């Protein structure tokens, strides 16, 4: 029953992705539309959703527990990233892609896919925990992940800097989250009209995110890409190894059950879309992460219900 519930929860998301794909195929959407949708989600609807969810669902006495959860998220992602590095050596894979391989292996799409999936599975109470994992995922990617992707390229190009990396980490969604935390700490009662505005704008996040994923899959150019052993190991890492590492590490932390379930689902989600953007910026193999993004988005229809069942048994 739990597995079927997971499938039922994920199906509406899949159908919205299909709508985005079909509309892109019919030329309603192009690269400019994709960029617009991304900006609307990241800079408008998602910060509003973060703020509203925090002020409506969190209490001051829960904040210490949230810090422990953040540490657990950092540890699990870092462990997955380190194991990916080790696998490149043990499996004798292409060392010129070690940074790219490790990033695809360890970093998941915690917002565009993670947020709507966890909302569908667990409701709005899961949203603060989604953002905890997002903070760890984003911080490690724009520091450690970015640095090693640059090292893959002999003469890295592009204008990413440490300043830009910090801008990515302290993104509008995180700022919306932090503003909500601040309101809780100082005991400020949010005016109802502000809460309602944030709620209505935040509700745009899921449909916009899923349409964005659909059009992105269609617009991804995968011509002449070779499906080799490296791709197989990445699929295993994203859908099996990384979630198992997360489950193992969570046993060392005393977190609430919902947070643990959200973290496991987050760790099993499709590949982080920003990896392809960074690969393109540094003249790395952009098709390599693009294939993984498209493939893992399709696999999520099966992977998410599976881990929904696993978490119901373990936690």
């Amino acid at each position: 029953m739990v597995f079927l519930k997971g499938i039922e929860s994920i199906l509406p998301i899949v159908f919205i992705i299909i709508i985005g794909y079909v509309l892109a195929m019919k030329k309603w959407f192009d690269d400019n539309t994709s960029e617009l949708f991304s900006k609307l989600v990241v800079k408008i609807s998602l910060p509003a959703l973060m703020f509203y969810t925090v002020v409506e669902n969190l209490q001051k006495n829960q904040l210490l527990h949230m810090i422990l959860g953040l540490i657990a998220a950092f540890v699990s992602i870092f462990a997955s990233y380190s194991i990916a590095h080790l696998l490149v050596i043990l499996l004798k894979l292409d060392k010129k892609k070690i940074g790219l391989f490790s990033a695809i292996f360890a970093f998941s799409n915690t917002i565009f896919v993670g947020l709507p999936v966890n909302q569908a599975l667990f409701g709005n109470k899961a949203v603060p925990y989604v953002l905890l994992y997002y903070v760890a995922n984003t911080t490690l990617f724009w520091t450690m992940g970015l640095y090693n992707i640059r090292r893959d390229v002999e003469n890295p190009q592009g204008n990413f800097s440490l300043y830009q990396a910090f801008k990515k980490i302290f993104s509008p969604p995180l700022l919306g989250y932090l503003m909500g935390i601040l309101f809780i700490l100082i005991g400020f009662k949010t005016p109802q009209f502000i809460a309602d505005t944030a709620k209505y704008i935040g509700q745009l996040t899921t449909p916009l995110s899923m349409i964005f994923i659909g059009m992105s899959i269609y617009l991804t150019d995968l011509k002449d890409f070779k499906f080799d052993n490296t791709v197989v190991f990445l699929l295993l890492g994203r859908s099996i190894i990384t979630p198992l590492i997360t489950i193992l590490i969570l046993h060392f932390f005393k977190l609430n059950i919902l947070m643990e379930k959200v973290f496991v689902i987050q760790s099993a989600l499709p590949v982080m879309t920003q990896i392809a953007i960074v690969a393109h910026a540094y003249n790395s193999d952009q098709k390599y992460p693009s294939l993984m993004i498209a493939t893992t988005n399709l696999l999520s229809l099966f992977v998410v219900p599976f881990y929904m069942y696993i978490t119901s048994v373990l936690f």
Side-chain angles (χ1 to χ4, degrees), residues 141-180:
F141 173 72
W142 288 107
T143 51
M144 177 177 66
L146 176 64
Y147 173 77
N148 285 306
I149 290 174
R150 291 196 66 183
R151 288 189 62 186
D152 287 344
V153 185
E154 193 169 85
N155 294 305
Q157 297 179 6
N159 55 2
F160 280 94
S161 66
L162 186 61
Y163 169 70
Q164 288 177 314
F166 278 108
K167 283 181 65 178
K168 296 290 183 181
I169 295 168
F170 288 95
S171 58
L174 179 56
L175 295 178
Y177 182 83
L178 293 176
M179 182 176 291

Side-chain angles (χ1 to χ4, degrees), residues 101-262:
F101 180 94
S102 302
I104 294 170
F105 191 101
F107 299 118
S108 57
N109 194 329
T110 55
I111 289 297
F112 283 107
V113 179
L115 182 62
V117 163
N118 280 284
Q119 276 185 305
L121 294 174
F122 308 117
N124 281 337
K125 289 185 178 180
V127 174
Y129 306 141
V130 169
L131 193 72
L132 279 184
Y133 197 93
Y134 160 79
V135 169
N137 192 76
T138 301
T139 301
L140 290 175
F141 173 72
W142 288 107
T143 51
M144 177 177 66
L146 176 64
Y147 173 77
N148 285 306
I149 290 174
R150 291 196 66 183
R151 288 189 62 186
D152 287 344
V153 185
E154 193 169 85
N155 294 305
Q157 297 179 6
N159 55 2
F160 280 94
S161 66
L162 186 61
Y163 169 70
Q164 288 177 314
F166 278 108
K167 283 181 65 178
K168 296 290 183 181
I169 295 168
F170 288 95
S171 58
L174 179 56
L175 295 178
Y177 182 83
L178 293 176
M179 182 176 291
I181 295 292
L182 177 62
F183 277 30
I184 292 173
L185 287 174
I186 64 177
F188 181 77
K189 177 63 177 177
T190 308
Q192 192 60 46
F193 77 94
I194 293 179
D196 288 344
T197 301
K199 176 184 176 182
Y200 296 142
I201 294 175
Q203 287 174 339
L204 294 171
T205 302
T206 294
L208 288 178
S209 297
M210 295 302 95
I211 292 173
F212 169 80
I213 292 295
M215 74 173 83
S216 296
I217 292 173
Y218 176 79
L219 295 170
T220 299
D221 182 12
L222 300 175
K223 294 179 182 177
D224 304 321
F225 188 89
K226 185 179 179 182
F227 197 95
D228 55 18
N229 289 336
T230 303
V231 174
V232 174
F233 286 120
L234 284 172
L235 289 175
L236 289 173
R238 188 90 295 278
S239 60
I240 297 177
I241 300 174
T242 296
L244 290 180
I245 291 170
T246 303
I247 291 171
L248 177 63
I249 288 174
L250 287 175
H251 281 289
F252 295 96
F253 292 85
K254 294 181 179 180
L255 305 178
N256 70 54
I257 293 175
L258 179 56
M259 188 186 294
E260 291 181 334
K261 288 182 177 182
V262 168

